[in-house]
Amino acid sequence: MSRPAVVLDTVLDAVGNTPLIRLDRLAAKHGLKCNLLGKLEYMSAGGSVKDRIAKRMVEVAEKEGKLIPGHSVVIEPTSGNTGIGLAMACAIKGYTVIITLPQKMSLEKEAALRALGAEVVRTPTEAAWDSPESNIGVAARLQREIPGGIILDQYRNINNPLAHELTTGPEIIEAVKNTPSTAQHPSSGKVDVFVAGAGTGGTISGVAKAIKKTHNPDCVVVGTDPVGSVLALPETLNAATGSYIIEGIGYDFVPDVLSREEGLIDSWVKTSDAEAFAAIKELIRSEGMLVGGSCGSALAGAFAWLRTGEGKKIAETEGKNVVVLLPDGIRNYIGKDWFLKMALEAEPSPLAQTIAGIMNRSDSLDVQTMSDGDVTLNSRV
């Protein structure tokens, strides 16, 4: 579903319609014969998959009369990306926005929110979801005390999964169906496996419904959940506790919009920060995609599932299509320690060592000053 080549009325018309891209180099590196495809959501106007739900929640609330121009104040507890999507939509529509954001979330997210005109209130990362000090608790307090305050509530709002059932899922289906099978790239013509991380759970629930109910009921849907979160099933998978660095996925409670409908999400994989960061580095270096942290979790989960008994059958079958949802880009994490360490503190490559050797030779360059004052560098190699 490509974006029409016309002049758009607002940036909200540039939400979604993101590309589905082959990850052939990465697949070959991991010995996969199946097609590995990435749904690249940082190409959406606000930079993440959450643009979709923000747009829908605001537009539906307007239609239902819940948002009143000149009066309503949109308040939302978020990990950041939903907040950015809401702030973008509300900047266009003229609503005031307050975002409550745990301290763990990046400074880049706060900067983007403030640039869009939102007020940002930081809350303790360690606060339990039902604590008055959590971002959810603080949002509820602000909603009670600020005239016109309204929480659209991505954790319970049916328009969260609906946005993905009506847009993200159909886009994936259409892209796969419209891409012909060739000798170079054989295809089943179906989405055979869909892999996504779970935060609120709206993305994986909505896309799973679109695929299974309108396209391929036999599609295997795999959810990834960070170690320390409690979203995976069976619950025994959640035995390991602790904190995790990855942002935007995992919770200490199960949001209402994460479907527990039997047969919808078929399998869960737990992922660690280390696995996620390794996958991010691979994806950036192999495919040139400047993706964010939770993309690494989804990709690491996909690789882990493809090593299981059921997954191996898919991995070893040419033409099977495995789609991984890549939620956002690196923009929001440029200043995070994990990214700076990966980008700036990596072991020097052989080429870097060669360059350093050239630059460290004190007699390698001869500086000549021309009569007009220009400077030229002549090699004396």
Side-chain angles (χ1 to χ4, degrees):
M1 186 182 296
S2 60
R3 192 172 293 144
V6 296
V7 176
L8 305 179
D9 292 330
T10 76
V11 74
L12 291 180
D13 294 324
V15 167
N17 291 309
T18 55
L20 188 63
I21 300 177
R22 296 187 189 280
L23 307 180
D24 286 351
R25 284 154 292 277
L26 206 52
K29 185 176 180 180
H30 285 261
L32 305 178
K33 294 182 180 179
C34 62
N35 297 318
L36 186 64
L37 311 171
K39 182 67 167 165
L40 199 59
E41 287 296 292
Y42 74 69
M43 298 294 286
S44 184
S48 87
V49 70
K50 295 293 190 175
D51 295 349
R52 299 172 185 268
I53 73 168
K55 177 182 178 180
R56 183 171 179 85
M57 289 194 302
V58 167
E59 291 181 344
V60 172
E62 285 183 320
K63 290 178 182 177
E64 295 176 346
K66 294 177 181 177
L67 280 179
I68 304 170
H71 175 70
S72 295
V73 177
V74 174
I75 305 168
E76 190 73 16
T78 170
S79 299
N81 281 333
T82 299
I84 291 170
L86 284 172
M88 179 178 70
C90 291
I92 293 166
K93 293 175 175 292
Y95 298 108
T96 304
V97 181
I98 302 172
I99 299 299
T100 57
L101 189 70
Q103 287 288 352
K104 163 185 171 178
M105 307 310 165
S106 72
L107 180 61
E108 289 83 357
K109 287 179 180 176
E110 180 177 346
L113 286 163
R114 292 190 182 278
L116 286 164
E119 297 293 337
V120 179
V121 180
R122 291 283 195 163
T123 62
T125 298
E126 63 276 9
W129 72 274
D130 54 356
S131 163
E133 288 76 37
S134 73
N135 66 329
I136 294 174
V138 169
R141 176 184 174 186
L142 293 173
Q143 190 270 332
R144 289 193 300 269
E145 299 190 21
I146 293 177
I150 177 173
I151 298 175
L152 296 179
D153 197 355
Q154 61 177 322
Y155 303 105
R156 291 184 288 188
N157 193 321
I158 190 61
N159 292 295
N160 175 346
L162 264 179
H164 300 294
E165 186 175 352
L166 298 176
T167 69
T168 322
E171 286 173 25
I172 292 169
I173 294 166
E174 185 175 348
V176 170
K177 288 173 62 178
N178 288 346
T179 303
S181 180
T182 65
Q184 183 180 6
H185 289 115
S187 172
S188 66
K190 298 182 294 185
V191 181
D192 298 293
V193 179
F194 175 70
V195 184
T200 64
T203 302
I204 191 169
S205 300
V207 174
K209 287 181 181 179
I211 293 173
K212 290 201 170 189
K213 295 182 178 181
T214 70
H215 170 64
N216 180 16
D218 296 323
C219 175
V220 179
V221 176
V222 180
T224 68
D225 189 39
V227 173
S229 171
V230 301
L231 302 184
L233 288 175
E235 293 183 1
T236 52
L237 289 174
N238 304 318
T241 59
S243 60
Y244 48 93
I245 297 172
I246 292 294
E247 300 179 30
I249 56 173
Y251 279 105
D252 57 349
F253 72 103
V254 179
D256 289 359
V257 295
L258 174 56
S259 177
R260 296 304 197 186
E261 180 182 336
E262 187 175 353
L264 191 64
I265 302 174
D266 302 286
S267 184
W268 286 89
V269 177
K270 302 293 285 192
T271 58
S272 68
D273 285 333
E275 291 168 328
F277 297 150
I280 293 167
K281 185 175 181 179
E282 277 195 301
L283 187 52
I284 292 175
R285 293 290 177 88
S286 298
E287 303 291 349
M289 296 179 178
L290 293 169
V291 296
S294 58
C295 300
S297 296
L299 190 59
F303 289 145
W305 184 82
L306 288 167
R307 291 192 296 269
T308 65
E310 184 181 10
K312 283 181 181 178
K313 295 177 183 178
I314 297 289
E316 296 172 357
T317 304
E318 290 188 355
K320 291 291 188 181
N321 294 305
V322 178
V323 176
V324 182
L325 195 288
L326 305 174
D328 69 356
I330 203 61
R331 176 195 71 185
N332 288 338
Y333 312 99
I334 290 291
K336 299 293 282 189
D337 288 343
W338 64 262
F339 177 72
L340 293 176
K341 184 175 182 179
M342 181 184 81
L344 303 180
E345 298 178 20
E347 287 293 319
S349 67
L351 181 57
Q353 293 172 349
T354 299
I355 294 169
I358 293 171
M359 299 305 294
N360 287 335
R361 290 210 303 269
S362 60
D363 64 339
S364 64
L365 296 175
D366 184 17
V367 180
Q368 289 185 342
T369 304
M370 307 297 287
S371 59
D372 62 0
D374 293 335
V375 176
T376 61
L377 299 179
N378 295 322
S379 174
R380 281 207 322 230
V381 176

